[in-house]
Short mmCIF file of all heavy atoms in Angstrom, two decimals:
data_model
loop_
_atom_site.label_atom_id
_atom_site.label_comp_id
_atom_site.label_asym_id
_atom_site.label_seq_id
_atom_site.Cartn_x
_atom_site.Cartn_y
_atom_site.Cartn_z
N ALA A 1429 -160.86 -54.61 44.95
CA ALA A 1429 -161.08 -55.08 46.32
C ALA A 1429 -162.31 -55.97 46.34
O ALA A 1429 -163.27 -55.73 45.59
CB ALA A 1429 -161.27 -53.91 47.28
N LEU A 1430 -162.27 -56.99 47.19
CA LEU A 1430 -163.39 -57.92 47.32
C LEU A 1430 -163.50 -58.29 48.78
O LEU A 1430 -162.50 -58.73 49.38
CB LEU A 1430 -163.14 -59.16 46.45
CG LEU A 1430 -164.25 -60.18 46.31
CD1 LEU A 1430 -165.52 -59.55 45.76
CD2 LEU A 1430 -163.78 -61.32 45.40
N GLY A 1431 -164.67 -58.08 49.36
CA GLY A 1431 -164.76 -58.33 50.79
C GLY A 1431 -166.18 -58.39 51.30
O GLY A 1431 -167.13 -58.56 50.54
N TRP A 1432 -166.30 -58.22 52.63
CA TRP A 1432 -167.57 -58.39 53.32
C TRP A 1432 -167.85 -57.19 54.23
O TRP A 1432 -166.95 -56.72 54.93
CB TRP A 1432 -167.54 -59.65 54.18
CG TRP A 1432 -167.45 -60.90 53.37
CD1 TRP A 1432 -166.32 -61.55 52.98
CD2 TRP A 1432 -168.54 -61.64 52.81
NE1 TRP A 1432 -166.63 -62.65 52.23
CE2 TRP A 1432 -168.00 -62.73 52.12
CE3 TRP A 1432 -169.93 -61.49 52.85
CZ2 TRP A 1432 -168.79 -63.66 51.45
CZ3 TRP A 1432 -170.71 -62.41 52.19
CH2 TRP A 1432 -170.14 -63.48 51.51
N TYR A 1433 -169.11 -56.77 54.20
CA TYR A 1433 -169.65 -55.79 55.13
C TYR A 1433 -170.79 -56.46 55.87
O TYR A 1433 -171.29 -57.50 55.45
CB TYR A 1433 -170.18 -54.56 54.38
CG TYR A 1433 -169.10 -53.63 53.88
CD1 TYR A 1433 -168.26 -54.00 52.84
CD2 TYR A 1433 -168.95 -52.36 54.43
CE1 TYR A 1433 -167.28 -53.13 52.37
CE2 TYR A 1433 -167.97 -51.48 53.96
CZ TYR A 1433 -167.14 -51.88 52.93
OH TYR A 1433 -166.18 -51.01 52.47
N ARG A 1434 -171.22 -55.85 56.96
CA ARG A 1434 -172.40 -56.36 57.67
C ARG A 1434 -173.22 -55.20 58.20
O ARG A 1434 -172.70 -54.11 58.44
CB ARG A 1434 -171.99 -57.30 58.80
CG ARG A 1434 -171.27 -56.64 59.96
CD ARG A 1434 -170.81 -57.69 60.96
NE ARG A 1434 -170.09 -57.10 62.09
CZ ARG A 1434 -169.49 -57.80 63.04
NH1 ARG A 1434 -169.50 -59.13 62.99
NH2 ARG A 1434 -168.88 -57.19 64.03
N GLN A 1435 -174.51 -55.49 58.38
CA GLN A 1435 -175.42 -54.48 58.90
C GLN A 1435 -176.38 -55.13 59.87
O GLN A 1435 -177.17 -56.00 59.49
CB GLN A 1435 -176.17 -53.79 57.78
CG GLN A 1435 -176.98 -52.60 58.24
CD GLN A 1435 -177.48 -51.75 57.08
OE1 GLN A 1435 -177.54 -52.20 55.93
NE2 GLN A 1435 -177.81 -50.50 57.35
N ALA A 1436 -176.31 -54.71 61.12
CA ALA A 1436 -177.23 -55.19 62.15
C ALA A 1436 -178.43 -54.25 62.19
O ALA A 1436 -178.34 -53.09 61.76
CB ALA A 1436 -176.52 -55.22 63.49
N PRO A 1437 -179.55 -54.71 62.72
CA PRO A 1437 -180.75 -53.86 62.78
C PRO A 1437 -180.48 -52.55 63.51
O PRO A 1437 -179.91 -52.54 64.61
CB PRO A 1437 -181.74 -54.73 63.55
CG PRO A 1437 -181.32 -56.13 63.29
CD PRO A 1437 -179.82 -56.07 63.22
N GLY A 1438 -180.85 -51.45 62.88
CA GLY A 1438 -180.68 -50.14 63.49
C GLY A 1438 -179.27 -49.61 63.46
O GLY A 1438 -178.99 -48.55 64.03
N MET A 1439 -178.36 -50.33 62.81
CA MET A 1439 -176.96 -49.93 62.78
C MET A 1439 -176.54 -49.61 61.35
O MET A 1439 -177.19 -50.00 60.39
CB MET A 1439 -176.08 -51.06 63.32
CG MET A 1439 -176.43 -51.52 64.72
SD MET A 1439 -176.08 -50.25 65.95
CE MET A 1439 -174.30 -50.38 66.02
N GLN A 1440 -175.43 -48.87 61.24
CA GLN A 1440 -174.87 -48.60 59.91
C GLN A 1440 -174.13 -49.82 59.39
O GLN A 1440 -173.64 -50.65 60.16
CB GLN A 1440 -173.92 -47.41 60.00
CG GLN A 1440 -174.60 -46.08 60.19
CD GLN A 1440 -173.66 -44.90 60.01
OE1 GLN A 1440 -172.45 -45.03 60.21
NE2 GLN A 1440 -174.19 -43.77 59.62
N ARG A 1441 -174.06 -49.91 58.08
CA ARG A 1441 -173.29 -50.98 57.47
C ARG A 1441 -171.81 -50.73 57.75
O ARG A 1441 -171.32 -49.61 57.65
CB ARG A 1441 -173.54 -51.01 55.96
CG ARG A 1441 -173.05 -52.25 55.26
CD ARG A 1441 -173.51 -52.31 53.81
NE ARG A 1441 -174.95 -52.43 53.72
CZ ARG A 1441 -175.61 -52.69 52.59
NH1 ARG A 1441 -174.93 -52.85 51.46
NH2 ARG A 1441 -176.91 -52.76 52.57
N GLU A 1442 -171.11 -51.81 58.13
CA GLU A 1442 -169.70 -51.67 58.49
C GLU A 1442 -168.84 -52.71 57.79
O GLU A 1442 -169.30 -53.82 57.50
CB GLU A 1442 -169.53 -51.81 60.02
CG GLU A 1442 -169.92 -53.16 60.56
CD GLU A 1442 -169.61 -53.33 62.05
OE1 GLU A 1442 -169.07 -52.40 62.67
OE2 GLU A 1442 -169.91 -54.42 62.59
N LEU A 1443 -167.60 -52.33 57.56
CA LEU A 1443 -166.65 -53.26 56.95
C LEU A 1443 -166.31 -54.36 57.95
O LEU A 1443 -166.04 -54.09 59.12
CB LEU A 1443 -165.38 -52.52 56.54
CG LEU A 1443 -164.22 -53.38 56.06
CD1 LEU A 1443 -164.54 -54.00 54.71
CD2 LEU A 1443 -162.94 -52.56 55.98
N VAL A 1444 -166.30 -55.61 57.46
CA VAL A 1444 -165.87 -56.74 58.27
C VAL A 1444 -164.45 -57.13 57.88
O VAL A 1444 -163.55 -57.18 58.73
CB VAL A 1444 -166.81 -57.94 58.09
CG1 VAL A 1444 -166.31 -59.13 58.88
CG2 VAL A 1444 -168.24 -57.56 58.51
N ALA A 1445 -164.25 -57.41 56.61
CA ALA A 1445 -162.93 -57.81 56.12
C ALA A 1445 -162.91 -57.67 54.61
O ALA A 1445 -163.96 -57.78 53.96
CB ALA A 1445 -162.62 -59.26 56.51
N ALA A 1446 -161.73 -57.45 54.06
CA ALA A 1446 -161.61 -57.31 52.62
C ALA A 1446 -160.22 -57.67 52.15
O ALA A 1446 -159.24 -57.55 52.93
CB ALA A 1446 -161.95 -55.88 52.18
N ILE A 1447 -160.15 -58.13 50.92
CA ILE A 1447 -158.88 -58.36 50.24
C ILE A 1447 -158.71 -57.24 49.24
O ILE A 1447 -159.55 -57.05 48.36
CB ILE A 1447 -158.86 -59.72 49.52
CG1 ILE A 1447 -159.06 -60.86 50.50
CG2 ILE A 1447 -157.53 -59.90 48.77
CD1 ILE A 1447 -159.19 -62.23 49.86
N THR A 1448 -157.64 -56.48 49.39
CA THR A 1448 -157.41 -55.33 48.51
C THR A 1448 -156.06 -55.50 47.83
O THR A 1448 -155.30 -56.42 48.14
CB THR A 1448 -157.43 -54.02 49.29
OG1 THR A 1448 -156.22 -53.92 50.06
CG2 THR A 1448 -158.61 -53.95 50.24
N SER A 1449 -155.76 -54.60 46.95
CA SER A 1449 -154.46 -54.64 46.27
C SER A 1449 -153.32 -54.44 47.26
O SER A 1449 -152.19 -54.85 47.01
CB SER A 1449 -154.40 -53.58 45.17
OG SER A 1449 -154.68 -52.30 45.70
N GLY A 1450 -153.63 -53.85 48.42
CA GLY A 1450 -152.61 -53.62 49.43
C GLY A 1450 -152.54 -54.68 50.50
O GLY A 1450 -151.70 -54.60 51.41
N GLY A 1451 -153.41 -55.69 50.41
CA GLY A 1451 -153.42 -56.76 51.40
C GLY A 1451 -154.80 -56.94 52.00
O GLY A 1451 -155.79 -56.40 51.49
N THR A 1452 -154.87 -57.67 53.10
CA THR A 1452 -156.15 -57.92 53.74
C THR A 1452 -156.36 -56.95 54.89
O THR A 1452 -155.40 -56.55 55.56
CB THR A 1452 -156.25 -59.36 54.27
OG1 THR A 1452 -155.16 -59.59 55.17
CG2 THR A 1452 -156.18 -60.36 53.14
N ILE A 1453 -157.61 -56.58 55.13
CA ILE A 1453 -157.96 -55.70 56.24
C ILE A 1453 -159.12 -56.32 57.00
O ILE A 1453 -159.96 -57.00 56.42
CB ILE A 1453 -158.32 -54.29 55.76
CG1 ILE A 1453 -159.42 -54.32 54.69
CG2 ILE A 1453 -157.10 -53.57 55.22
CD1 ILE A 1453 -159.88 -52.96 54.25
N TYR A 1454 -159.16 -56.07 58.31
CA TYR A 1454 -160.18 -56.60 59.19
C TYR A 1454 -160.67 -55.51 60.13
O TYR A 1454 -159.89 -54.66 60.58
CB TYR A 1454 -159.63 -57.74 60.05
CG TYR A 1454 -159.28 -59.00 59.31
CD1 TYR A 1454 -157.98 -59.23 58.86
CD2 TYR A 1454 -160.24 -59.99 59.09
CE1 TYR A 1454 -157.66 -60.39 58.19
CE2 TYR A 1454 -159.91 -61.16 58.42
CZ TYR A 1454 -158.62 -61.35 57.97
OH TYR A 1454 -158.30 -62.51 57.30
N ALA A 1455 -161.94 -55.60 60.48
CA ALA A 1455 -162.45 -54.77 61.57
C ALA A 1455 -161.83 -55.27 62.87
O ALA A 1455 -161.60 -56.47 63.04
CB ALA A 1455 -163.97 -54.87 61.63
#
Side-chain angles (χ1 to χ4, degrees):
L1430 187 57
W1432 294 91
Y1433 284 70
R1434 68 185 179 186
Q1435 188 168 20
M1439 304 292 285
Q1440 288 191 334
R1441 193 171 295 190
E1442 63 174 359
L1443 172 70
V1444 177
I1447 299 174
T1448 73
S1449 55
T1452 56
I1453 54 176
Y1454 292 94

